[in-house]
Each structure stands twice: as structure tokens, then as C-alpha cells.
């Protein structure tokens, strides 16, 4: 499947789903991207319905407008059907069916991006400190899923997952009196960590470039210190659960270092992998 959310075919389908969600006619088609796109449409509707009274920064509005204008100009330049459309002389001719559909699709997408981006900016400000059990926590997680869907590469998604793992750690620090909630948030933190590390280590192995491993090591160093801080004053169950997260971070550092050594040895791309990504072979002695 094309990983670009706004490729032409997926863009048209996204516009159809937006149209249906806003009371438009039903399009009797389905695509492989429907599950992902439907979730994004639902997130957008929730953002509009539940957005708090938060003022959007003026600079954000200006930069968003510039982004949308640039996107529209790129679409116009890339679509020969737009340039070949008849020019108005006296009375405006009707656009051809395909051209009109593309124009509506682009319009719906740009409007959807604008509304969603403005809404996300307000919701993010209000839900930033939400923790499990708070009214806005579901919105906070939905916003994170939307960010992942809009990311334009696996490396970007990997970085986002690591950012989310840091966020889960902050949430865990506020739930230390709730053993069940504390453990559940650390489970989510470890899951986000594995996802992010796997994407970054896979990218490093595929491109034989250790740059992504630098991001992994920086994350591990800071995250390990912060996770270790959860041990202070914790009960036995919380301490044991925290040690599991520390062990995961230690395993990640070992994997990152092994991959870096394999890249330095110019070894072939690993064929095996696990939850942390590629499993590198050891460098031969003397290399």
C-alpha cells in the first residue's frame, strides 16, 4: 500500500469519506485505506465537536495558510487537466466530470487539513497534561494516532513513537498511587518504545547509515535516567515493573551498538529481526 496519506487515489477517497461524514451522498466504493482514513475522519469530527475554547496562535494561522496555498499551487502545477481546462469566455463552461471531481477532492482535502490542524492545535493545548481516566485522554491519544498517520516516512514515525514513549513516562509519574494505572501506562510506554526503535533500527540497517541510531541512543540515555527516577519511593510491585522497562532500554542500547558495529564492518543487511528490529551478525575477528 502507498504509505503517502495524500497520494492522488487516497486523496480522492478521503474527500469522499469527508463528504459522507458531512451528510453528502454515499459513495458505493471501498479501498484498502478505508480503515485508516475513516479513523482520521472520526478524529477530525471529534476535534471539531469537543474542541475547547483555546485561541490558536496567530503565527500558526499564518504558517498554516502559507502551507495550504503552497499545496494548492503544487497540485495545480502537477495536474495537466487543470491547465487544459477550457478558459472562461463570456460564460463559464462546465468542468469535465473527472476534472471537477479532482477539484472537489483537492478542495475537501485542503479544507479538512485546515480544520483539522486548527482543531488539533487547540485540543493539544488542552489535553497536553491529560492522564488515563481524564476526559480528554482519549482525544490526546487520537491526536497522536493522527500525527502518525500524517508522518511522511518511517523515520519520522519512529521519532514520533519515541516522543510518545516520553509522554507515557510523564503520565506514569502522575499515577504512582495507582498500581494498575501505573503498570498499564508503562506497558504502553514500552510498546511505543519498541515501535519507534524498530522503525529507526530498520531504517539504519536498510540505508547502512547510523544516523538513526544516534536518535535511538539519545532517547535511551535520557529515558533511562527518567525511568530510574520512578524507583524512588515505589512499592515492590511498582519497582519490579519499572525494572522491566529499564531492562528493555538496556537491551535497546545493546542492539543499537551491535548494529552500529555491523554497519562499520560493512556487513550485509541482516535478514533476521525481532521486536527491536534487525538482528545484526557479529563482526569477524580482525575487522
Amino acid at each position: 500500500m502507498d504509505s503517502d496519506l495524500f497520494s492522488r487515489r487516497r486523496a480522492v477517497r478521503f474527500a469522499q469519506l469527508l463528504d459522507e461524514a458531512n451528510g453528502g451522498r454515499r459513495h458505493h466504493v471501498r479501498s484498502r485505506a478505508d480503515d485508516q482514513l475513516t479513523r482520521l475522519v472520526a478524529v477530525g469530527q471529534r476535534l471539531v465537536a469537543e474542541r475547547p475554547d483555546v485561541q490558536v496562535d496567530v503565527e500558526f494561522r499564518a504558517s498554516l495558510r502559507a502551507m495550504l496555498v503552497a499545496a494548492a499551487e503544487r497540485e495545480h502545477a502537477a495536474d495537466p487537466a487543470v491547465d487544459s481546462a477550457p478558459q472562461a469566455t463570456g460564460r463559464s463552461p462546465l468542468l469535465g466530470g473527472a476534472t471537477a471531481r479532482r477539484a472537489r477532492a483537492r478542495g475537501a482535502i485542503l479544507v479538512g487539513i485546515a480544520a483539522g490542524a486548527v482543531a488539533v492545535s487547540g485540543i493539544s493545548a488542552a489535553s497536553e497534561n491529560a492522564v488515563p481516566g481524564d476526559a480528554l485522554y482519549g482525544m490526546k491519544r487520537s491526536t497522536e494516532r493522527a500525527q502518525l498517520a500524517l508522518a511522511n516516512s518511517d523515520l519520522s514515525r519512529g521519532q514520533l513513537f519515541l516522543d510518545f514513549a516520553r509522554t507515557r513516562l510523564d503520565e506514569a509519574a502522575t499515577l504512582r498511587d495507582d498500581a494498575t494505572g501505573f503498570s498499564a501506562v508503562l506497558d504502553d510506554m514500552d510498546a511505543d518504545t519498541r515501535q519507534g526503535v524498530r522503525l529507526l533500527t530498520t531504517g539504519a540497517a536498510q540505508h547502512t547509515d547510523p544516523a538513526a541510531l544516534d536518535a535511538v541512543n539519545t532517547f535511551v540515555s535520557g529515558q533511562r535516567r527518567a525511568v530510574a527516577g520512578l524507583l524512588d519511593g515505589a512499592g515492590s510491585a511498582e519497582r519490579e515493573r519499572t525494572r522491566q522497562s529499564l531492562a528493555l532500554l538496556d537491551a535497546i542500547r545493546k542492539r543499537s551498538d551491535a548494529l552500529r558495529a555491523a554497519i562499520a564492518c560493512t556487513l550485509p543487511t541482516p535478514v533476521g529481526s525481532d521486536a527491536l528490529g534487525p538482528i545484526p551478525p557479529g563482526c569477524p575477528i580482525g575487522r
Side-chain angles (χ1 to χ4, degrees), residues 178-252:
D178 176 2
T180 301
F182 178 82
S183 180
V185 169
L186 289 190
D187 288 345
D188 288 347
M189 179 187 75
D190 289 350
D192 287 339
T193 298
R194 291 188 189 95
Q195 291 263 37
V197 167
R198 183 180 178 87
L199 288 168
L200 292 171
T201 55
T202 298
Q206 288 177 343
H207 299 98
T208 60
D209 183 356
L213 301 178
D214 294 338
V216 171
N217 289 354
T218 297
F219 166 80
V220 169
S221 296
Q223 190 80 343
R224 199 187 189 289
R225 287 193 299 270
V227 172
L230 296 176
L231 294 170
D232 297 337
S236 58
E238 289 77 14
R239 290 177 68 85
E240 178 58 32
R241 179 60 192 84
T242 300
R243 290 192 183 100
Q244 294 176 24
S245 294
L246 289 172
L248 171 63
L249 294 170
D250 291 341
I252 290 169

